[in-house]
Amino acid sequence: MVGLVCVHFGEPWFTALVMVVALLMIYEWNRIVDGFGLGPTFSIHAPVIVVVLLAGAYGEYRFGLALIASGALAGFVAAVLRKQERLWPTLAVPYIGLPCLAMLWLRYDAATGTALVYWLLASIWATDTGAYVAGRSIGGPKLAPRISPKKTWAGLIGGVVAATVAGGLTAWAVELPRPVVFGAISGMIGAWSQVGDLSESAVKRHFGVKDSSNLIPGHGGFLDRLDGLLFAAPVAAAAVLLGAL
């Protein structure tokens, strides 16, 4: 509910919400990777994320992208100096910063920003709901049993169908043009968001962690709740930027 209110009222509330959630996800990422969320790597990642999102709030998206690349490099250098595995500290800022910057870009335009974010959120929520219902009611072959034993191919298909329908209807309801096209893109985004879900599960399994944190009682952490959106947001922004939407 808080998120929808911030989407509706826009700046500065939406940027503030995205920044707080981004910092919490950076904390969770380092908690998974380092075993200590507020360790030395957090002190590198967090300031970069803040500046990236401030750049986005002022419409400086190219600068924000450059900062994301710089944050990845800083994470890599820190891992080398600390003699750690280099992949995970390097991925932190791009993994979280790019989707958050994409969300700010989608919401930036006063005329259509609110509608675009509503459409994207509806698509992701429909994907999760459709995947859960289809997976539980139909079952069948597992999608990726070594990574996420509960996910099935039926769940994936159900999620894509639900995203297509919900995305098209939401686009029509918020008066976006070509709702049929929005529905088709929603289906593709829904499928891609499931890759995000599996990716986060793979990271947790690699480090032997059940939940990214306990910041959301009974639901794990923000990375657990937003794993699909993290993959979907950049794709949605790219589709708008390239004129597909």
Side-chain angles (χ1 to χ4, degrees), residues 78-99:
V80 170
L81 293 176
R82 296 176 64 194
K83 298 181 179 179
Q84 292 180 316
E85 192 173 356
R86 299 167 187 177
L87 175 63
W88 309 109
T90 305
L91 279 180
V93 171
Y95 186 83
I96 294 167
L98 184 59

Side-chain angles (χ1 to χ4, degrees), residues 12-107:
W13 310 109
F14 187 65
T15 295
L17 172 69
V18 172
M19 189 172 295
V20 169
V21 173
L23 289 173
L24 291 173
M25 289 192 290
I26 283 290
Y27 161 79
E28 291 176 346
W29 180 273
N30 285 288
R31 179 179 179 270
I32 294 170
V33 173
D34 288 344
F36 184 47
L38 298 176
T41 314
F42 178 85
S43 65
I44 296 172
H45 294 151
V48 175
I49 287 292
V50 169
V51 180
V52 165
L53 297 182
L54 286 175
Y58 284 96
E60 298 294 337
Y61 300 106
R62 291 181 181 178
F63 182 51
L65 291 173
L67 287 170
I68 289 172
S70 299
L73 179 60
F76 175 82
V77 172
V80 170
L81 293 176
R82 296 176 64 194
K83 298 181 179 179
Q84 292 180 316
E85 192 173 356
R86 299 167 187 177
L87 175 63
W88 309 109
T90 305
L91 279 180
V93 171
Y95 186 83
I96 294 167
L98 184 59
C100 290
L101 187 65
M103 291 297 292
L104 294 185
W105 185 84
L106 286 169
R107 180 59 185 80

Side-chain angles (χ1 to χ4, degrees), residues 20-228:
V20 169
V21 173
L23 289 173
L24 291 173
M25 289 192 290
I26 283 290
Y27 161 79
E28 291 176 346
W29 180 273
N30 285 288
R31 179 179 179 270
I32 294 170
V33 173
D34 288 344
F36 184 47
L38 298 176
T41 314
F42 178 85
S43 65
I44 296 172
H45 294 151
V48 175
I49 287 292
V50 169
V51 180
V52 165
L53 297 182
L54 286 175
Y58 284 96
E60 298 294 337
Y61 300 106
R62 291 181 181 178
F63 182 51
L65 291 173
L67 287 170
I68 289 172
S70 299
L73 179 60
F76 175 82
V77 172
V80 170
L81 293 176
R82 296 176 64 194
K83 298 181 179 179
Q84 292 180 316
E85 192 173 356
R86 299 167 187 177
L87 175 63
W88 309 109
T90 305
L91 279 180
V93 171
Y95 186 83
I96 294 167
L98 184 59
C100 290
L101 187 65
M103 291 297 292
L104 294 185
W105 185 84
L106 286 169
R107 180 59 185 80
Y108 189 77
D109 185 273
T112 61
T114 304
L116 285 171
V117 175
Y118 282 157
W119 159 74
L120 176 59
L121 293 178
S123 300
I124 298 303
W125 293 338
T127 301
D128 292 340
T129 303
Y132 177 80
V133 171
R136 290 294 297 270
S137 60
I138 300 174
K142 301 298 183 182
L143 180 61
R146 293 185 178 181
I147 298 174
S148 185
K150 294 182 179 180
K151 292 191 179 300
T152 64
W153 283 99
L156 173 63
I157 295 170
V160 170
V161 171
T164 302
V165 174
L169 289 175
T170 302
W172 171 77
V174 297
E175 299 182 347
L176 287 169
R178 300 181 297 169
V180 173
V181 176
F182 271 92
I185 298 294
S186 294
M188 291 185 282
I189 286 176
W192 184 239
S193 74
Q194 292 298 290
V195 178
D197 192 327
L198 290 172
S199 297
E200 203 246 349
S201 296
V203 173
K204 290 189 296 184
R205 184 169 290 273
H206 177 79
F207 287 98
V209 174
K210 182 179 183 294
D211 296 318
S212 60
S213 75
N214 57 358
L215 292 176
I216 308 176
H219 295 279
F222 285 90
L223 283 174
D224 300 319
R225 296 299 93 199
L226 301 176
D227 47 11

